[in-house]
Amino acid sequence: MIRVQEEDFDTGAEIAALTADNTAIGGVATFTGLVRDMAPVDGSDRPISAMTLEHYPGMTEKKLAEIEAEANRRWPLDASLIIHRYGRLEPGDRIVLVACASAHRQAAFDACEFLMDWLKTDAPFWKLEDTDAGGVWVETRKTDATAAARWNEPAGGE
Amino acid sequence: MIRVQEEDFDTGAEIAALTADNTAIGGVATFTGLVRDMAPVDGSDRPISAMTLEHYPGMTEKKLAEIEAEANRRWPLDASLIIHRYGRLEPGDRIVLVACASAHRQAAFDACEFLMDWLKTDAPFWKLEDTDAGGVWVETRKTDATAAARWNEPAGGE
Amino acid sequence: MKIFYFAWMRQRIGLATEDIARPDGVATVDELIDWLIARGDGYAQAFVKRDAIRAAVNQDYVPFDHPVADGDEIAFFPPVTGG
Amino acid sequence: MKIFYFAWMRQRIGLATEDIARPDGVATVDELIDWLIARGDGYAQAFVKRDAIRAAVNQDYVPFDHPVADGDEIAFFPPVTGG
């Protein structure tokens, strides 16, 4: 299931709903992304007071659904969930939740990492941070591309 | 923080408490383990109606605190939490929650996997499953030992 | 063609979206970019780091040699930073 | 010495815990196991897969050549299955 929304979400309720009525599930791996109070700007960390998340309505939902389907092809998941917020957020606010349920612990973890890595490099979202130097568009981090690339390795390389 | 308890826990509230008042945290990786409705007994899956978790009071808390400290030494975590239940549980019930918060996504994931792997192989808990063939003590799985062993590799091998 | 611009490309161009008829001689994303740059400074500024820009046609990522046609939904945006 | 048994070892021995004075000639975990097995069938059954058993002294895992002393808290248990 995927959801793109402006409003906050209740992590516990979302996880509970994901596993309700399926007692074959052995575990749920999740990642919750939060707005940090500091951001690197031109090489040094600056405090940020807020963040505005822009996205591409339509394409966002399409790509999220595609990548969720891909995760379900790659790993034996019983359930999966991606929630990504947009709009204005403040430090400490939840941005994103990825949850993967499986009978197999490692499958749940791997799928969760795969989805987070992919969200960082291919989901059409852009972050504008309000810093004391003004609004700054967040730049892509090379480490995110590296993290995402590991999932392109030949089968058995994982 | 570690807790060993008979009562259930509220995953969302636990994660929120872990990250409250620290807006330097970029994300939280979690794993929630649930009681499955089937268990392998002598090579074939059998339905289970309940599970009783026995543990070694005193040593459990000691070992959990040690391994949590080790995770904090290995990764730059802002906060971490292990909750492990004992007593009688039914399929779908929560058994364990591990949560790791960090400014760095991969650190949060790795620490969470490390703690789960360790709980499987070194935390003094034993599961007795009620199956239609009677009470069956769960046997160690070789895959758990393999999973735990990967954290013993020389630095840089991860 | 309906064209969308996002993030700092949107700010530099001063538009989030616009409808244009496919210009003569524009058959690919690359040729569309050339045509847009020629329209003025805002566009030139938006496409200045051309290699870093990503293009989508009908909500799928495409390489710049991908064809464009009337009726397409085309989007240009900087590297994404979600998650 | 206070000795604890867990899971199916506890069931086979029929005791969760017992206090014993360190027997003569018992200086290590291994020697304690030999002494316990000699006490009777329940113990022999509990320690039958001796290589699979884990031992803890004062709540730390120890190898079987670890010394035991009066006042120690000693535990024997099967491979753990938590998490």
Side-chain angles (χ1 to χ4, degrees):
Chain A
M1 192 168 45
I2 65 125
R3 297 216 311 268
V4 183
Q5 64 189 42
E6 199 156 2
E7 60 271 27
D8 194 14
F9 51 83
D10 177 337
T11 309
E14 297 294 345
I15 298 172
L18 196 68
T19 58
D21 307 321
N22 184 351
T23 48
I25 292 173
V28 186
T30 76
F31 187 85
T32 307
L34 304 169
V35 179
R36 291 183 61 191
D37 56 7
M38 299 289 279
V41 177
D42 294 335
S44 68
D45 264 11
R46 283 174 181 274
I48 77 159
S49 54
M51 169 189 284
T52 303
L53 262 156
E54 180 174 339
H55 80 115
Y56 181 177
M59 182 166 173
T60 307
E61 290 82 356
K62 183 174 188 233
K63 302 312 280 181
L64 262 55
E66 284 174 9
I67 201 66
E68 189 195 33
E70 176 65 22
N72 278 273
R73 262 192 298 276
R74 292 193 184 202
W75 291 280
L77 305 182
D78 289 298
S80 54
L81 172 68
I82 306 172
I83 302 176
H84 205 304
R85 295 177 69 190
Y86 61 88
R88 189 175 183 281
L89 301 173
E90 294 183 355
D93 282 354
R94 281 175 279 269
I95 304 172
V96 61
L97 173 67
V98 167
C100 295
S102 176
H104 304 283
R105 177 167 91 258
Q106 197 59 49
F109 273 123
D110 287 349
C112 197
E113 292 188 35
F114 167 79
L115 289 172
M116 277 307 305
D117 285 346
W118 181 86
L119 286 174
K120 293 275 176 187
T121 55
D122 287 283
F125 286 92
W126 303 273
K127 288 174 182 153
L128 178 66
E129 291 173 335
D130 294 348
T131 75
D132 53 10
V136 177
W137 289 99
V138 172
E139 290 190 24
T140 308
R141 291 183 310 177
K142 202 168 181 177
T143 51
D144 286 329
T146 309
R150 66 183 160 150
W151 305 108
N152 296 328
E153 286 167 14
E158 287 166 26
Chain B
M1 191 169 45
I2 65 123
R3 296 215 312 268
V4 182
Q5 64 188 43
E6 199 156 1
E7 62 270 27
D8 194 14
F9 50 83
D10 176 338
T11 309
E14 296 295 346
I15 299 172
L18 196 68
T19 58
D21 307 321
N22 185 351
T23 48
I25 293 173
V28 186
T30 76
F31 186 85
T32 308
L34 304 169
V35 179
R36 292 183 60 190
D37 55 7
M38 300 289 279
V41 177
D42 293 334
S44 67
D45 264 10
R46 283 175 181 275
I48 76 159
S49 53
M51 168 189 283
T52 303
L53 262 156
E54 180 174 338
H55 79 115
Y56 181 176
M59 182 166 174
T60 307
E61 291 82 354
K62 182 174 189 237
K63 302 312 280 183
L64 262 56
E66 284 175 9
I67 200 65
E68 188 194 33
E70 176 64 22
N72 279 273
R73 261 192 298 276
R74 292 193 184 202
W75 291 280
L77 305 182
D78 288 298
S80 54
L81 172 68
I82 305 171
I83 301 177
H84 204 304
R85 295 177 69 191
Y86 61 89
R88 188 175 182 282
L89 301 173
E90 294 182 356
D93 282 354
R94 282 175 278 269
I95 304 173
V96 63
L97 173 67
V98 168
C100 296
S102 176
H104 304 283
R105 178 167 92 256
Q106 196 58 49
F109 273 123
D110 286 349
C112 197
E113 292 189 34
F114 167 79
L115 288 172
M116 277 308 304
D117 285 346
W118 181 86
L119 286 175
K120 293 275 177 187
T121 55
D122 287 283
F125 287 92
W126 303 272
K127 288 175 181 152
L128 178 66
E129 291 173 335
D130 294 348
T131 76
D132 53 10
V136 177
W137 289 99
V138 172
E139 290 191 25
T140 308
R141 291 183 309 177
K142 204 169 180 178
T143 52
D144 286 328
T146 310
R150 65 182 160 152
W151 305 108
N152 296 327
E153 285 166 14
E158 287 166 26
Chain C
M1 305 184 293
K2 193 170 184 70
I3 311 185
F4 290 91
Y5 309 104
F6 292 96
W8 50 258
M9 292 191 69
R10 171 179 54 71
Q11 290 180 322
R12 291 181 188 176
I13 291 168
L15 279 174
T17 182
E18 60 184 324
D19 282 293
I20 61 167
R22 186 172 62 81
D24 283 343
V26 168
T28 67
V29 170
D30 233 349
E31 288 163 356
L32 177 60
I33 293 172
D34 288 339
W35 184 86
L36 288 167
I37 288 171
R39 292 176 89 189
D41 263 9
Y43 291 94
Q45 284 303 310
F47 286 100
V48 69
K49 286 184 186 171
R50 190 159 172 159
D51 292 348
I53 299 301
R54 298 187 78 168
V57 172
N58 299 325
Q59 304 188 350
D60 274 316
Y61 288 109
V62 295
F64 284 6
D65 61 0
H66 191 276
V68 294
D70 279 309
D72 279 349
E73 176 178 314
I74 300 165
F76 294 106
F77 44 81
V80 302
T81 55
Chain D
M1 304 184 292
K2 191 169 185 70
I3 311 185
F4 290 91
Y5 309 104
F6 292 97
W8 51 259
M9 293 190 68
R10 171 179 53 72
Q11 291 181 321
R12 291 180 187 178
I13 292 168
L15 280 174
T17 183
E18 60 184 325
D19 281 293
I20 60 168
R22 186 173 62 81
D24 283 344
V26 168
T28 67
V29 170
D30 234 348
E31 288 163 356
L32 177 59
I33 294 173
D34 289 338
W35 184 85
L36 288 167
I37 287 173
R39 292 177 89 189
D41 262 9
Y43 291 94
Q45 284 302 309
F47 286 100
V48 69
K49 286 184 185 172
R50 188 160 172 159
D51 292 348
I53 298 302
R54 298 187 77 166
V57 171
N58 299 326
Q59 304 186 351
D60 275 317
Y61 288 110
V62 296
F64 285 6
D65 61 359
H66 192 277
V68 294
D70 278 311
D72 279 349
E73 175 178 314
I74 300 166
F76 294 106
F77 44 82
V80 301
T81 55

